[in-house]
């Protein structure tokens, strides 16, 4: 079974399973397809953290497709340009594109099918066309003037005949199809050799050369309002490879929940679950006390995300074992009161003194739109920001992946390649001494957060959602409903959703809404009014606005199950 944020990607994944491939083959094929059919949400030059579970031996792992900062990307380099934040768009925000390498690494280590076979559907859609979703056309319309005036390489691809394409129009990207075919041209006598030849062509060959020439030779307009060349060079791509790493995990509801480690925000979900278990959240779920449940979940989220700001980053110094420990969770949970808490309240694991970026204490408070996972505003009003795919195969293998970055609206298309670069360097701080301070060769603390829940007998689900900082919030009520409330996957996804906007955004310009709580109107007027009385700054959105979750897995009785989000009317789950 395959579930994802786009029906074509789910169908392509299912095609691989029916051809005899496994979950890893299917995820790679679906991922490449997403990079074509949702160009406003991801691209082959973006980022892609991937979680996997190999059923034959219970091996659980992360493939890290989060690229690193260029060797020339120092705090001083940005300060010398008069910047106090990394711009959210353009060349200066570029990191090494990790998605392509991550998909190839997953295929090489765990897949069975040739690269040409799993890449064929993406090439076909890029060359022959696909129906462009309405959200993509809205995004192109928003940046059409920018493309025309400042980013002509993007205008060539996304403004055919000088016009914004119509929703549902047949859309092609022949330059991207040519790039994919050229990546396959290196051949190789074995499956593994073909994969390695494509990797070299991307990271050491013509793709790296094109990236270097564009970044170093052409200044482009960015969100600072000025034109800059970039810092990313061919040597940065050549020195990077996707890595396989251990997951972070906690026990919750008698199962093990797996996430990335603290180079991403994944552990923030684990911290929330640990605190909620300390607060006996199961009793709130079973009592159907919606007011207390929403209030408690939001207050716990504020505590966990404050810890994210103080402690998470691509550094060996993160006190992750303590942050995920039951004793620390219980102590933090005792801070949850009846009223909405003010301010940022990071904890002191192992007695250490927390420190967050100075700018978070006031100057950027508010709800101004950001340019991050860019179609999500701070109050979550726009439909989505990235992609997600979950796969389970007949053997019980599972994959959860959240490809993102390389958005058409935040980075100009690299000439001749048909795709843009990732702009995740905007997530670094230009203030020294923080876990997520910029440094050459460092990964930005990504918001991309796939997940796995595993029962001790091997049953369980792959799950996730787009949503930037909301990814590890929208999944909380989903898991509570499914694991504690007995709801099936689809019912848990369909139920009313909410999140806190009190937490600082990970994206330029790093704004937040103090005590903000965004909720679907289906929660009901009585509940929303009562939350406001407790001090929450409630922002009510439409009844089906928040979250784009999907999930796929194995029930304890061995039945395969999957579900996809109805919001936006493009998520799709399929199986047989």
């Amino acid at each position: 079974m395959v579930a994802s944020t786009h029906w074509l990607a789910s169908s392509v994944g299912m095609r691989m399973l029916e051809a005899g491939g496994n979950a890893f083959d299917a995820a790679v094929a679906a991922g490449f397809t997403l990079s074509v059919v949702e160009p406003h949400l991801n691209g082959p030059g973006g980022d892609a953290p991937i979680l996997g579970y190999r059923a034959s031996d219970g091996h659980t792992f992360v493939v890290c497709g989060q690229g690193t900062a260029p060797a020339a990307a120092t705090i001083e380099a940005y300060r010398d340009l008069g910047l106090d934040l990394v711009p959210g768009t353009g060349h200066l925000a570029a990191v090494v594109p990790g998605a392509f390498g991550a998909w190839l690494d997953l295929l090489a280590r765990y897949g069975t099918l040739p690269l040409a076979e799993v890449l064929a559907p993406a090439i076909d859609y890029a060359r022959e066309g696909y129906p462009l979703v309405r959200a993509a056309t809205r995004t192109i319309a928003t940046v059409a003037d920018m493309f025309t005036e400042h980013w002509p390489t993007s205008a060539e691809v996304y403004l055919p005949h000088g016009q914004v394409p119509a929703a549902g129009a047949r859309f092609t990207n022949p330059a991207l199809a040519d790039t994919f075919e050229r990546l396959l041209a290196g051949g190789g006598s074995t499956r593994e050799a073909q994969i390695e030849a494509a990797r070299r062509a991307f990271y050491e060959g013509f793709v790296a050369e094109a990236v270097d020439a564009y970044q170093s030779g052409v200044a482009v307009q960015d969100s600072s309002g000025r034109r800059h060349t970039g810092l990313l060079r061919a040597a940065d791509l050549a020195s990077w490879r996707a890595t396989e790493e251990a997951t972070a995990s906690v026990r919750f509801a008698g199962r093990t929940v797996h996430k990335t480690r603290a180079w991403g925000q994944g552990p923030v979900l684990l911290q929330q679950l640990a605190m909620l278990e300390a607060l006996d959240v199961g009793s709130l779920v079973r009592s159907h006390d919606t007011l207390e449940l929403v209030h408690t979940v939001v207050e716990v989220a504020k505590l966990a995300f404050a810890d994210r700001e103080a402690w998470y980053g691509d550094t060996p110094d993160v006190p992750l074992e303590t942050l995920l420990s039951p004793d620390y969770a219980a102590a933090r949970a005792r801070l949850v009161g009846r009223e909405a808490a003010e301010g940022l309240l990071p904890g002191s694991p192992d007695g250490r003194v927390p420190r967050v970026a100075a700018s978070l204490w006031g100057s950027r408070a508010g709800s101004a739109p950001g340019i991050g996972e860019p179609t999500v505003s701070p109050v979550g009003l726009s439909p989505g920001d990235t992609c997600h795919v979950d796969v389970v195969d007949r053997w019980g293998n599972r994959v959860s992946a959240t490809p993102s970055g390389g958005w058409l609206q935040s980075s100009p298309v690299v000439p001749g390649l048909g795709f843009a670069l990732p702009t995740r360097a905007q997530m670094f701080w230009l203030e020294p001494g923080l876990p997520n301070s910029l440094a050459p060769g460092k990964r930005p603390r990504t918001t991309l957060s796939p997940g796995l829940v595993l029962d001790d007998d091997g049953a369980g689900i792959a799950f996730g959602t787009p949503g930037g900082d909301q990814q590890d919030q929208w999944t909380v009520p989903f898991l509570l409903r499914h694991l504690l409330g007995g709801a099936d996957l689809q019912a848990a996804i369909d139920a009313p959703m909410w999140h806190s906007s009190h937490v600082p955004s990970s994206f330029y310009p790093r704004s937040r809404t103090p005590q903000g709580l965004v909720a679907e109107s289906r929660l009901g007027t009585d509940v929303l009014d009562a939350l406001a009385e407790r001090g929450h700054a409630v922002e009510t959105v439409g009844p089906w606005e928040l979250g784009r979750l999907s999930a796929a897995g194995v029930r304890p009785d061995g039945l395969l199950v999957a579900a996809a989000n109805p919001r936006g009317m493009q998520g799709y789950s399929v199986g047989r």
Side-chain angles (χ1 to χ4, degrees):
M1 303 194 82
V2 186
S4 83
T5 49
H6 196 287
W7 70 93
L8 289 177
S10 298
S11 299
V12 163
M14 196 66 204
R15 170 177 160 182
M16 298 300 132
L17 296 176
E18 291 180 332
N22 61 22
F24 310 109
D25 299 309
V28 175
F32 280 131
T33 299
L34 286 171
S35 74
V36 174
V37 302
E38 291 195 301
H40 58 308
L41 306 179
N42 82 135
D47 326 280
I50 305 166
L51 263 66
Y53 171 77
R54 185 171 60 198
S56 61
D57 59 0
H59 177 51
T60 305
F61 59 90
V62 178
V63 173
C64 177
Q66 178 53 66
T68 53
T74 63
I75 291 175
E76 293 73 21
Y78 288 86
R79 293 290 192 185
D80 288 346
L81 295 172
L83 299 170
D84 62 354
L85 288 175
V86 178
T89 65
H91 282 341
L92 286 175
V95 297
V96 174
F100 189 79
W103 291 125
L104 262 59
D105 187 81
L106 183 70
L107 185 67
R109 290 175 188 258
Y110 299 99
T112 61
L113 298 178
L115 176 59
E117 186 169 349
V118 300
L119 197 49
I123 294 172
D124 188 61
Y125 286 125
R127 189 169 302 287
E128 302 300 328
Y130 60 92
L132 197 63
V133 296
R134 187 173 301 277
T137 64
R138 285 198 302 263
T139 301
I140 294 169
T142 300
V143 293
D145 289 344
M146 164 71 93
F147 285 2
T148 301
E149 297 172 14
H150 299 292
W151 294 1
T153 57
S154 295
E156 290 173 9
V157 174
Y158 293 108
L159 297 175
H161 313 294
Q163 301 294 319
V164 175
R170 188 186 188 111
F171 185 82
T172 64
N173 187 345
L176 179 56
D178 291 345
T179 295
F180 282 148
E181 290 181 341
R182 191 173 173 186
L183 288 165
L184 289 173
S189 58
T190 65
R191 191 183 75 92
E192 291 74 15
Q194 184 183 58
I195 294 170
E196 177 58 19
R199 190 202 66 77
R200 286 199 306 271
F202 191 103
Y203 290 96
E204 302 171 32
F206 75 95
V207 170
E209 292 167 1
V211 168
D212 192 318
Y214 192 39
Q215 281 264 310
S216 63
V218 181
V220 302
Q221 183 92 352
D222 60 38
S223 52
S224 73
R226 292 180 283 149
R227 298 170 63 88
H228 294 105
T229 54
L231 302 174
L232 189 65
R233 298 292 182 266
D236 297 311
L237 275 71
S239 64
W240 183 88
R241 292 198 73 133
T243 53
E244 181 174 316
E245 303 177 12
T247 64
S249 64
V250 298
R251 295 286 291 179
F252 179 77
R255 299 150 171 105
T256 304
V257 184
H258 294 268
K259 283 283 187 175
T260 67
R261 300 186 74 80
W263 52 265
Q265 76 172 14
V268 83
L269 173 73
L270 307 180
Q271 285 195 247
Q272 290 173 86
L273 294 179
M275 282 187 271
L276 289 168
E277 190 142 79
L279 291 167
D280 189 23
V281 70
S283 63
L284 294 179
V285 175
R286 291 186 291 271
S287 69
H288 304 288
D289 189 338
T290 303
L291 170 61
E292 288 298 334
L293 179 64
V294 175
H295 172 77
T296 301
V297 169
V298 166
E299 292 303 293
V300 161
K302 288 154 69 173
L303 293 169
F305 277 84
D307 276 346
R308 181 194 73 171
E309 293 305 314
W311 302 111
Y312 290 21
D314 186 17
T315 169
D317 199 33
V318 179
L320 190 58
E321 183 177 350
T322 300
L323 290 169
L324 299 182
S325 68
D327 288 345
Y328 183 79
R332 296 286 279 159
R334 287 193 288 271
L335 298 176
V336 175
R338 187 181 182 281
E339 303 297 319
E342 300 178 0
L344 298 177
L345 300 172
S348 301
D350 302 325
R352 295 165 59 176
V353 177
R355 178 185 167 191
V356 302
S359 62
L360 293 180
W361 295 120
S363 62
R364 293 188 175 89
S367 57
I371 314 174
E373 298 203 324
T375 59
V376 165
S377 71
V379 294
L381 291 175
S382 299
D385 67 301
T386 182
C387 307
H388 187 78
V389 59
D390 300 298
V391 186
V392 60
D393 64 24
R394 71 193 76 175
W395 302 284
N397 299 310
R398 265 148 278 177
V399 179
S400 174
T402 311
S404 185
W407 306 295
L408 68 86
Q409 64 272 42
S410 57
S411 183
V413 168
V414 180
L417 298 184
F419 66 81
L421 295 172
T423 52
R424 212 160 285 271
Q426 67 183 288
M427 308 183 82
F428 287 118
W429 290 109
L430 297 181
E431 177 182 335
L434 301 170
N436 194 36
S437 296
L438 174 67
K442 188 175 181 179
R443 291 173 289 191
R445 190 204 65 210
T446 180
T447 54
L448 304 175
S449 193
L452 294 170
V453 176
L454 296 177
D455 296 1
D456 293 338
D457 62 1
I461 59 170
F463 69 94
T465 179
D469 298 284
Q470 287 78 44
Q471 289 181 31
D472 286 306
Q473 293 196 66
W474 291 335
T475 49
V476 173
F478 161 74
L479 291 174
L480 298 182
R481 290 161 178 153
H482 179 57
L483 300 179
L484 298 176
D488 65 33
L489 293 179
Q490 194 63 58
I493 289 172
D494 290 353
M497 195 64 68
W498 67 85
H499 67 264
S500 171
S501 54
H502 176 90
V503 303
S505 171
S506 296
F507 301 96
Y508 182 93
R510 315 303 287 265
S511 58
R512 69 185 188 94
T513 303
Q515 295 171 283
L517 191 165
V518 184
E520 289 182 335
S521 60
R522 287 184 294 141
L523 280 177
T525 302
D526 291 348
V527 171
L528 295 171
D529 288 347
L531 288 166
E533 289 174 2
R534 293 193 179 194
H536 297 283
V538 177
E539 177 77 27
T540 304
V541 299
W544 297 89
E545 294 283 347
L546 304 180
R548 292 177 68 209
L549 285 103
S550 64
V554 183
R555 289 193 336 198
D557 63 4
L559 191 69
L560 304 187
V561 290
N565 179 56
R567 300 163 178 88
M569 295 185 291
Q570 68 182 65
Y572 188 62
S573 62
V574 60
R576 70 170 179 86

